[in-house]
Amino acid sequence: MATPARRLLGALAASDRPLYEEVRGRLIEGISQGAWQPGEALPSEGELARAFGVAVGTLRKAVDTLVAEQVLVRRQGKGTFVTSHDGRRLMFHFFHIVERGGGKAYPEVRLIDFRRERAMPEEAAALGIAPSEKLIRVRNLLSLGGRPAILDDIAIPAQLFPGLTEKIFRARDNTIYHLYQSRYGINVLRTDERLRAVLASREVAPLLQVAPGAPLLEIRRVALTFRDRPVELRLSRVDTARHDYHNTLGKDVAA
C-alpha cells in the first residue's frame, strides 16, 4: 500500500455518525489527497476493514455508497477502482444531448475562445469564490452529425487550474473532465443542472446556424467535486429543432 494511503488508514475515532459514514469520509479523504489515483485499484475490502478496525460489512457499505456516487467503480473479478473520466460510460454520464430520433454519439468539439477575466458576481456565487478572482473562460461549439448542436460557455476558477493554457486545453486527448482529473487531480463527481427555454441571441444564432429569436434549450450546470465543492460553471445553449435532451435516471451498472 502506498505511503500516503498508510497515513490515512487506521482505527477510527469515536463519533456520533454511523461507522460506515466515518469509513466513507476517510476513503474520500484518501482519494482527494491522491492516496489512490484515478484508475487505481483500492486494497481489498478485507485489508481496508482490518486497517480501519471495522467489520467487512461496514467497509462494504461505505464502498457501496461511493460506487453509487460514481467515485468508485467495481470491476467483476478485478476489484474496486477509483473512477477515471476516460471512458464512454463516464462521458455519457454527463453528456445528455442526442440527435432527434438517434442514440448517443460523441460530439465534434471546436474551441472558439479561451481567455481570462474577473468573475461576475453571479459566477462568483455559483463557484464559491470572490468576485475579484480570475476565471478561465472557454467557449466550445459542439456538433452532432456534422451540424452545430450546442454552444458551451465554461467558467472555471483560475486558482484551481494553475498553468492551464489554450495550448494545453486544445491538446487534450480526452474529455474536459478527464483533463481536470489527470492534470489537476480534480474529480467531477456530480453536476447540478437547471434547464429553461430561451431565445437565440444575435451572438449565439449564427454559431448554432439558427435564426435570431429561434427557441433554444439553456442548461446551467455546476460541476461538483468532493464535499460538493463547485469547480466549473457551464452554460449550454442547445438547438432543440434537431436535438433532444435525453437522460436515463437510475443506477449505472458498471461493465
Side-chain angles (χ1 to χ4, degrees):
M1 196 181 303
T3 299
R6 286 199 190 98
R7 291 199 298 267
L8 290 158
L9 301 180
L12 301 171
S15 170
D16 293 334
R17 292 197 304 172
L19 195 54
Y20 83 90
E21 289 188 4
E22 292 293 321
V23 174
R24 174 185 174 278
R26 192 75 69 83
L27 290 171
I28 286 177
E29 182 182 358
I31 296 167
S32 63
Q33 293 184 12
W36 301 291
Q37 298 295 319
E40 182 180 345
L42 266 61
S44 70
E45 291 182 349
E47 289 179 82
L48 287 172
R50 286 191 295 274
F52 286 130
V54 300
V56 170
T58 299
L59 186 286
R60 186 170 296 136
K61 187 173 182 180
V63 170
D64 285 344
T65 64
L66 295 179
V67 170
E69 294 167 12
Q70 303 283 335
V71 178
L72 301 174
V73 59
R74 285 194 173 99
R75 296 176 184 165
Q76 189 68 31
K78 295 181 179 179
T80 303
F81 295 76
V82 179
T83 299
S84 178
H85 290 279
D86 60 358
R88 176 177 290 267
R89 183 179 65 87
L90 257 294
M91 192 273 187
F92 290 135
H93 181 70
F94 295 107
F95 184 74
H96 306 302
I97 305 302
V98 298
E99 288 188 83
R100 180 69 44 80
K104 291 187 175 181
Y106 281 99
E108 178 186 343
V109 183
R110 178 164 66 92
L111 177 64
I112 294 177
D113 192 27
F114 184 103
R115 53 197 162 94
R116 294 172 184 266
E117 287 183 346
R118 298 288 182 186
M120 301 293 288
E122 183 181 350
E123 296 170 321
L127 291 168
I129 60 176
S132 59
E133 288 193 30
K134 284 285 188 68
L135 293 180
I136 296 173
R137 297 188 187 277
V138 175
R139 171 168 280 190
N140 278 337
L141 182 64
L142 285 68
S143 297
L144 291 169
R147 303 188 70 171
I150 308 159
L151 184 66
D152 276 349
D153 282 313
I154 300 169
I156 56 177
Q159 64 178 356
L160 294 182
F161 301 90
L164 181 58
T165 63
E166 180 175 341
K167 181 178 179 180
I168 291 171
F169 192 85
R170 283 186 184 276
R172 71 187 188 281
D173 59 358
N174 212 298
T175 66
I176 294 173
Y177 288 175
H178 179 263
L179 175 67
Y180 295 170
Q181 184 182 64
S182 61
R183 191 175 184 93
Y184 298 99
I186 294 175
N187 295 4
V188 173
L189 302 180
R190 68 183 188 90
T191 60
D192 181 87
E193 292 185 343
R194 291 180 179 268
L195 283 66
R196 67 172 185 162
V198 297
L199 301 178
S201 68
R202 292 191 178 277
E203 176 190 10
V204 169
L207 293 169
L208 288 175
Q209 297 180 11
V210 299
L216 302 176
L217 173 66
E218 180 182 275
I219 305 170
R220 181 184 183 275
R221 173 201 286 182
V222 179
L224 304 160
T225 186
F226 296 105
R227 301 181 182 88
D228 282 346
R229 182 184 184 185
V231 297
E232 179 199 83
L233 175 63
R234 184 179 303 213
L235 194 67
S236 303
R237 276 64 54 92
V238 185
D239 173 16
T240 52
R242 297 187 292 266
H243 306 92
D244 294 325
Y245 179 95
H246 179 208
N247 187 8
T248 302
L249 301 176
K251 186 175 180 180
D252 186 17
V253 180

